[in-house]
Amino acid sequence: MRLRLEFTTEPFDLDEPPPHALAAREVVSGAGLDAVDVGPFGNTVEGSADAVLTTVDAVLRRALAAGATRISLQVNALAEDPSGAGSI
């Protein structure tokens, strides 16, 4: 199964990324996911169920430890790859 994770961390800072946002971006950049899109108001990643679920845990832990007061996330199951890649 493949999953897509979309998340934001708060509080926002329009002048520069706060430490909790940088921590979350570091996690997703090093997670070995298939797709990573980091933006100023939200982030999206895709990968195998195991990789995305492990990333969710790490993002929550690291962002909260770095000062996040709220983390909003959404996880979507994606259509299976016809080749069978990404199955758990």
Side-chain angles (χ1 to χ4, degrees), residues 1-6 34-35 44-48 52 75-81:
M1 174 186 305
R2 291 182 47 76
L3 299 176
R4 175 183 297 128
L5 165 67
E6 299 174 56
D34 299 335
T44 304
V45 301
E46 291 183 17
S48 70
V52 171
V75 178
N76 294 6
L78 303 176
E80 285 291 328
D81 182 342

Side-chain angles (χ1 to χ4, degrees), residues 2-81:
R2 291 182 47 76
L3 299 176
R4 175 183 297 128
L5 165 67
E6 299 174 56
F7 70 93
T8 58
T9 62
E10 296 179 42
F12 293 115
D13 183 341
L14 297 177
D15 294 327
E16 62 184 67
H20 57 81
L22 296 175
R25 290 177 186 176
E26 183 178 303
V27 169
V28 298
S29 295
L33 297 161
D34 299 335
V36 175
D37 182 22
V38 175
F41 299 109
N43 308 284
T44 304
V45 301
E46 291 183 17
S48 70
D50 285 339
V52 171
L53 294 173
T54 298
T55 300
V56 167
D57 179 67
V59 164
L60 293 174
R61 291 176 188 277
R62 295 274 308 276
L64 290 168
T69 58
R70 178 180 175 141
I71 302 168
S72 302
L73 62 92
Q74 178 174 304
V75 178
N76 294 6
L78 303 176
E80 285 291 328
D81 182 342

